[in-house]
Amino acid sequence: MRGAFVEKDTEREGSAEAAPNAHERVLAEDRRVVREALRSSRGGAHGGLVVTAVALGVVGALAGPKWPLIIGGAIAVWFALALEVVRRRGGRGWKATERAYIATFGWAQWL
């Protein structure tokens, strides 16, 4: 008997007339706001690259070349992992590289 109710609910949810309830609308709006707040752009990524290069230069001037090489290597590994994730999800060519670049350096937009 329970299966009949589940089928009716899914039919109603799948129809064009079914409007989301108030709770679902609030959740959808919250997700939209969070996506907009966390969105990064190529310009923000360029800023992140500049900030990273300057910070590595300062660290190199103060502590020698060891730490900038270690930190730069960690950033390169992060970029390579981001690129691999993007490629596994179907990204190809320049778009995949751009998305990995934004994932690596796009944090500067929030400064």
Side-chain angles (χ1 to χ4, degrees):
M1 188 70 174
R2 182 176 178 203
F5 292 117
V6 173
E7 289 176 15
K8 288 181 183 178
D9 287 343
T10 31
E11 288 175 9
R12 185 176 36 154
E13 288 174 2
S15 71
E17 301 171 22
N21 64 31
H23 180 70
E24 290 172 342
R25 285 192 305 268
V26 169
L27 287 176
E29 177 64 18
D30 287 348
R31 285 191 299 268
R32 186 191 66 77
V33 168
V34 169
R35 274 195 313 272
E36 288 297 319
L38 296 178
R39 183 163 288 167
S40 294
S41 66
R42 194 175 339 147
H46 292 333
L49 179 62
V50 169
V51 169
T52 301
V54 168
L56 288 176
V58 169
V59 169
L62 297 175
K66 176 183 170 186
W67 284 108
L69 288 174
I70 292 170
I71 296 168
I75 293 169
V77 168
W78 177 266
F79 176 79
L81 288 173
L83 183 60
E84 182 61 26
V85 167
V86 170
R87 296 188 102 216
R88 283 184 186 245
R89 291 186 175 180
R92 295 286 178 251
W94 174 247
K95 275 297 199 190
T97 305
E98 180 182 29
R99 288 176 59 195
Y101 175 70
I102 290 171
T104 304
F105 297 107
W107 53 264
Q109 185 165 333
W110 303 310
L111 293 179

